[in-house]
C-alpha cells in the first residue's frame, strides 16, 4: 500500500510504531461511535479504514465502483473518518434540493480550514454563509452578472486572448496559462475593478498558485493530511497549499487596504469597494459578519472559483475539438451561419445556435470538472432512505455519478453532443446536467460561467481551427484527466490556424 510505504520511508521503526499505536487508538475511538443503521459499505480495517480499496489519485472512479455494489447511499471509512456518499441523480436531487436543510452545511476539515477557516462563501456555515452569499449574489447582479455589461467585459477580454493565440503563428503552444489568465481577468474586473496584463508578474504568480492549489487539494498527500491531520502535520503534507493560500490572501488584503484609502461611495468599481462600503454601514451594529476575514475569504472564493472551473472547461473544449475535428467543423459552420464576419459572438446568438450550445454542455458533462462536488455535512441527525446519517457527518454528493449516470445518458462514457439535441437538432435541457451542483450550495457564479463559456469558446472557434501538432495524430490525444480537486486535461500542445 503506497501510503504506508510513504510513511515508512520517512521514519525509523520506533517512530513508525508510535504512529501506528496513535492511529490505532484514534481509529478505536472513532469506531466506538454507533454505526447502527448507517448506510452500508465495505468493512473497514483498523487505522486505515477503506483506504486500501481506494485509488486516491482517482477517488471518483473508486466511488463509482462502490455505488454499483452498495447502491445510492453508502458509507466509506477514509482512515478513521466516516463519510457518506450519495450516488445518482435522484438521490442527490432529493438530498440537496428536496431536503436542502438537512444537507445544508459544510464539514469542518483540515484542508477547508487552510483555505477559509469557516469564512467566506463556499466553506462557511450558518449566518456567516447566509450573509456572505446574500451579499455576494446581490453585488454580482449589481455589477451586471447575466447582463449586457458583463457580456461586454468578456468580449473585451476575448480580443487580447485571440491576439495572444494569433501571435504563435500556427506553431504548437500550450494554451493553459493564457486561458486561465483571460478567464481570471473577467472575475478580476468585477472584484478589483480592473484587468491585468497577461505578462504582469504578480498576476502570473497568482494564477499559477491558484492552479497549483487546485491540483494539490486532490493529491493523495493532501488528502491523507485531511484524514490524519496530526500525522500530516508531522510530515508537512500540507505546507505548499498553506503557503499558496496565505500568499493569495496577502495580495487580497493589500488590495483591500489600497481601495479603502481611495474609497468613494459615488465611484464603486468592484466587489471589494462594495464590501468596504457595506462594512461602513454595519459599524453601528453590535454584531456584523462583514469583517476582514470574510472579505478576504469571499474574494478568494470568487477569484479561485471564477478562474479554475471555467478555464478548465475551455481547455477541455479545445482538446475535444482537436480530437473530433468533424464536431469542430460543424460548430464553425453554425458560427458562420449566425454570426457575421468581424462581429464577436453575443449571448443572444446562443438561442440560434443549438449545436454549439449542445457541444458546450457536453464538454461540461464529459469533462466532469468537479467529480466529488464540494462536500456537504448534516447539521442534525438525518434519516435518508431508511438510514441514519449522524449529525456532522461529511457527505459527498458524487457528481460523476450524475454526469455519467447510465440511467440518464445514452452513451455516458462517450463525448456525444446528441445528449442535448432532439430529433430535429434543437437544443434540449437535461435535468441530470448539474455540473454547478444544485440546491442552496450551488455555484453562485453559474450565470457568469455559462456566459463566459459560450462567448469564449465560440469566439475562439470563430477565429481559429485547432489541430494537433505535427507528428501527433488525433488518436494520440489523451482524454484521461490529470490528478487534482478539479479534473483538467493532461497538459497538451495545440496549433491554432487563423480562419481569417
Amino acid at each position: 500500500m503506497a501510503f504506508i510505504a510513504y510513511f515508512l520511508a520517512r521514519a525509523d521503526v520506533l517512530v513508525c510504531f508510535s504512529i501506528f499505536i496513535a492511529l490505532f487508538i484514534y481509529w478505536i475511538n472513532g469506531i466506538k461511535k454507533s454505526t447502527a443503521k448507517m448506510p452500508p459499505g465495505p468493512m473497514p480495517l483498523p487505522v486505515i479504514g477503506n483506504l486500501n480499496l481506494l485509488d486516491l489519485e482517482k477517488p471518483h472512479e473508486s466511488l463509482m465502483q462502490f455505488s454499483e455494489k452498495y447502491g445510492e447511499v453508502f458509507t466509506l471509512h477514509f482512515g478513521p473518518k466516516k463519510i457518506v456518499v450519495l450516488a445518482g441523480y435522484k438521490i442527490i436531487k432529493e438530498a440537496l434540493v428536496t431536503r436542502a436543510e438537512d444537507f445544508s452545511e459544510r464539514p469542518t476539515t483540515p484542508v477547508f480550514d487552510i483555505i477559509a477557516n469557516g469564512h467566506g462563501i463556499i466553506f462557511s456555515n450558518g449566518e456567516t454563509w447566509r450573509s456572505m452569499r446574500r451579499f455576494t449574489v446581490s453585488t454580482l447582479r449589481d455589477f451586471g452578472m447575466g447582463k449586457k455589461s458583463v457580456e461586454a467585459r468578456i468580449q473585451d477580454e476575448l480580443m487580447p486572448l485571440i491576439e495572444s493565440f494569433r501571435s504563435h503563428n500556427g506553431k504548437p503552444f500550450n494554451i493553459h496559462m493564457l486561458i486561465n489568465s483571460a478567464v481570471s481577468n473577467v472575475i478580476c474586473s468585477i472584484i478589483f475593478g480592473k484587468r491585468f496584463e497577461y505578462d504582469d508578474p504578480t498576476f502570473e504568480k497568482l494564477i499559477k498558485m491558484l492552479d497549483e492549489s487546485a491540483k494539490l487539494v486532490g493529491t493523495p498527500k493532501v488528502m491523507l493530511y485531511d484524514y490524519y491531520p496530526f500525522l500530516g502535520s508531522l510530515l508537512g503534507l500540507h505546507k505548499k497549499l498553506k503557503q499558496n493560500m496565505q500568499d493569495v490572501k496577502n495580495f487580497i488584503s493589500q488590495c483591500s487596504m489600497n481601495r479603502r484609502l481611495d474609497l468613494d461611495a459615488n465611484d464603486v468599481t468592484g466587489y471589494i469597494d462594495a464590501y468596504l462600503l457595506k462594512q461602513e454601514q454595519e459599524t453601528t451594529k453590535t454584531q456584523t459578519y462583514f469583517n476582514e476575514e470574510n472579505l478576504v475569504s469571499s474574494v478568494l472564493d470568487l477569484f479561485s472559483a471564477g478562474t479554475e472551473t471555467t478555464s478548465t472547461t475551455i481547455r477541455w473544449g479545445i482538446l475535444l475539438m482537436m480530437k473530433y475535428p468533424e464536431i469542430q467543423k460543424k460548430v464553425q459552420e453554425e458560427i458562420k451561419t449566425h454570426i457575421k464576419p468581424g462581429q464577436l459572438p453575443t449571448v443572444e446568438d446562443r438561442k440560434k445556435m443549438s449545436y454549439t450550445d449542445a457541444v458546450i454542455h457536453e464538454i461540461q458533462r464529459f469533462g466532469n470538472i468537479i467529480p466529488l462536488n464540494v462536500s456537504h455535512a448534516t447539521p442534525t441527525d438525518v434519516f435518508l432512505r431508511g438510514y441514519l446519517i449522524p449529525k456532522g457527518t461529511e457527505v459527498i454528493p458524487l457528481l460523476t455519478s450524475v454526469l455519467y449516470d447510465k440511467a440518464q445518458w445514452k452513451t455516458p462514457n462517450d463525448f456525444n453532443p446528441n445528449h442535448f439535441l432532439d430529433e430535429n437538432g434543437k437544443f434540449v435541457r437535461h435535468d441530470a446536467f448539474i455540473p454547478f451542483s444544485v440546491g442552496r450550495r450551488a455555484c453562485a457564479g453559474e450565470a457568469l460561467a455559462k456566459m463566459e463559456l459560450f462567448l469564449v469558446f465560440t469566439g475562439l472557434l470563430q477565429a481559429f481551427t485547432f489541430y494537433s501538432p505535427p507528428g501527433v495524430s488525433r488518436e494520440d490525444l489523451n482524454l484521461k484527466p490529470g490528478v487534482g480537486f478539479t479534473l483538467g486535461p493532461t497538459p497538451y500542445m495545440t496549433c491554432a490556424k487563423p480562419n481569417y
Side-chain angles (χ1 to χ4, degrees):
M1 293 178 288
F3 54 93
I4 291 180
Y6 178 84
F7 297 153
L8 292 175
R10 288 161 175 77
D12 59 29
V13 175
L14 182 59
V15 172
C16 285
F17 180 74
S18 300
I19 288 172
F20 180 83
I21 294 298
L23 288 173
F24 185 75
I25 294 171
Y26 189 35
W27 177 80
I28 287 293
N29 288 335
I31 209 71
K32 283 179 181 178
K33 296 178 182 179
S34 174
T35 58
K37 297 183 181 179
M38 279 193 73
M43 179 67 70
L45 295 175
V47 182
I48 66 172
N50 301 128
L51 290 180
N52 59 312
L53 305 176
L54 288 165
D55 182 346
L56 291 183
E57 291 194 343
K58 296 175 287 187
H60 62 288
E61 293 185 3
S62 297
L63 299 188
M64 287 291 284
Q65 294 170 3
F66 282 124
S67 71
E68 293 180 4
K69 181 175 182 179
Y70 295 103
E72 295 177 303
V73 190
F74 57 94
T75 304
L76 284 179
H77 291 68
F78 288 70
K81 188 176 185 178
K82 290 190 283 289
I83 295 178
V84 170
V85 181
L86 308 179
Y89 171 67
K90 291 183 179 179
I91 191 66
I92 289 177
K93 182 182 178 183
E94 178 181 342
L96 303 191
V97 179
T98 308
R99 301 182 57 184
E101 190 67 33
D102 291 336
F103 296 88
S104 61
E105 292 195 350
R106 295 289 190 214
T108 300
T109 74
V111 169
F112 285 2
D113 283 347
I114 287 175
I115 297 171
N117 198 28
H119 298 109
I121 310 160
I122 297 176
F123 302 104
S124 60
N125 286 311
E127 192 54 43
T128 296
W129 171 72
R130 281 185 284 272
S131 296
M132 292 303 104
R133 170 108 182 178
R134 186 164 52 243
F135 171 79
T136 298
V137 170
S138 173
T139 303
L140 290 177
R141 286 199 192 109
D142 291 342
F143 281 102
M145 189 171 73
K147 301 175 184 177
K148 283 283 184 181
S149 56
V150 165
E151 179 182 66
R153 292 176 194 252
I154 300 167
Q155 290 172 328
D156 287 345
E157 194 58 45
L158 181 57
M159 290 186 284
L161 179 63
I162 288 173
E163 288 308 309
S164 294
F165 275 36
R166 200 185 302 278
S167 69
H168 291 275
N169 298 315
K171 295 179 181 179
F173 69 105
N174 189 324
I175 67 171
H176 191 137
M177 283 301 295
L178 284 174
I179 293 291
N180 279 32
S181 298
V183 170
S184 184
N185 257 337
V186 175
I187 195 65
C188 282
S189 70
I190 295 172
I191 295 172
F192 306 112
K194 67 174 185 176
R195 69 178 295 277
F196 297 86
E197 294 299 326
Y198 297 163
D199 59 358
D200 182 311
T202 301
F203 185 53
E204 281 187 308
K205 182 181 178 182
L206 288 170
I207 296 299
K208 287 178 180 177
M209 285 191 295
L210 289 177
D211 188 68
E212 182 181 43
S213 297
K215 292 182 176 67
L216 283 172
V217 172
T219 59
K221 286 184 179 181
V222 174
M223 292 171 74
L224 286 171
Y225 166 72
D226 225 13
Y227 311 146
Y228 306 102
F230 66 93
L231 186 59
S233 296
L234 180 67
L235 298 174
L237 303 180
H238 64 305
K239 285 184 178 179
K240 184 59 178 174
L241 175 66
K242 190 172 184 178
Q243 185 62 57
N244 282 355
M245 290 294 97
Q246 191 57 55
D247 287 348
V248 177
K249 289 176 182 179
N250 290 342
F251 172 79
I252 295 169
S253 292
Q254 187 61 54
C255 287
S256 68
M257 286 171 57
N258 294 340
R259 291 307 306 161
R260 196 184 298 274
L261 294 174
D262 300 322
L263 191 61
D264 182 351
N266 297 314
D267 184 26
V268 179
T269 61
Y271 180 90
I272 290 178
D273 284 5
Y275 190 103
L276 294 175
L277 287 172
K278 182 69 173 178
Q279 270 189 323
E280 289 188 355
Q281 295 168 8
E282 296 266 316
T283 53
T284 57
K285 293 187 177 181
T286 54
Q287 183 178 22
T288 178
Y289 295 92
F290 289 86
N291 52 43
E292 186 67 19
E293 291 85 355
N294 276 327
L295 168 59
V296 171
S297 290
S298 294
V299 170
L300 175 61
D301 289 343
L302 290 172
F303 192 25
S304 55
T307 299
E308 181 62 27
T309 54
T310 302
S311 60
T312 301
T313 304
I314 294 170
R315 288 190 285 113
W316 270 117
I318 301 302
L319 177 61
L320 287 163
M321 293 305 96
M322 294 161 57
K323 184 78 170 180
Y324 302 105
E326 67 281 4
I327 294 177
Q328 179 174 201
K329 184 178 180 180
K330 196 168 179 180
V331 170
Q332 290 171 327
E333 288 172 351
E334 190 174 60
I335 291 172
K336 290 177 183 177
T337 300
H338 296 288
I339 303 176
K340 293 179 181 179
Q343 289 188 352
L344 291 173
T346 67
V347 173
E348 282 297 309
D349 293 325
R350 181 167 51 188
K351 298 174 183 178
K352 303 173 289 185
M353 299 172 63
S354 291
Y355 189 76
T356 302
D357 206 6
V359 168
I360 293 170
H361 278 70
E362 181 64 0
I363 291 167
Q364 290 181 269
R365 187 202 69 81
F366 182 83
N368 186 30
I369 308 300
I370 308 181
L372 302 184
N373 207 324
V374 180
S375 293
H376 287 239
T378 48
T380 61
D381 287 354
V382 171
F383 285 91
L384 182 69
R385 301 288 174 89
Y387 299 116
L388 168 66
I389 303 177
K391 176 183 178 179
T393 300
E394 183 173 346
V395 177
I396 296 177
L398 184 61
L399 287 188
T400 303
S401 69
V402 181
L403 299 178
Y404 279 66
D405 192 336
K406 295 175 183 177
Q408 300 291 330
W409 311 97
K410 290 181 180 179
T411 56
N413 296 312
D414 299 330
F415 180 71
N416 180 8
N418 289 323
H419 286 139
F420 296 93
L421 296 169
D422 64 16
E423 60 276 7
N424 298 315
K426 297 297 182 183
F427 179 80
V428 290
R429 300 188 183 280
H430 202 300
D431 288 343
F433 178 74
I434 56 169
F436 300 101
S437 193
V438 288
R440 294 182 181 180
R441 292 281 187 165
C443 175
E446 180 176 344
L448 174 62
K450 287 179 176 179
M451 185 180 286
E452 282 186 275
L453 287 174
F454 178 78
L455 295 177
V456 175
F457 179 77
T458 304
L460 289 176
L461 263 66
Q462 179 189 39
F464 304 101
T465 295
F466 296 95
Y467 57 95
S468 305
V472 179
S473 69
R474 57 183 287 189
E475 289 76 21
D476 293 331
L477 294 173
N478 181 15
L479 296 184
K480 292 293 183 182
V483 176
F485 176 73
T486 53
L487 294 186
T490 53
Y492 66 88
M493 303 290 280
T494 187
C495 296
K497 178 183 176 182
N499 293 331
Y500 52 83

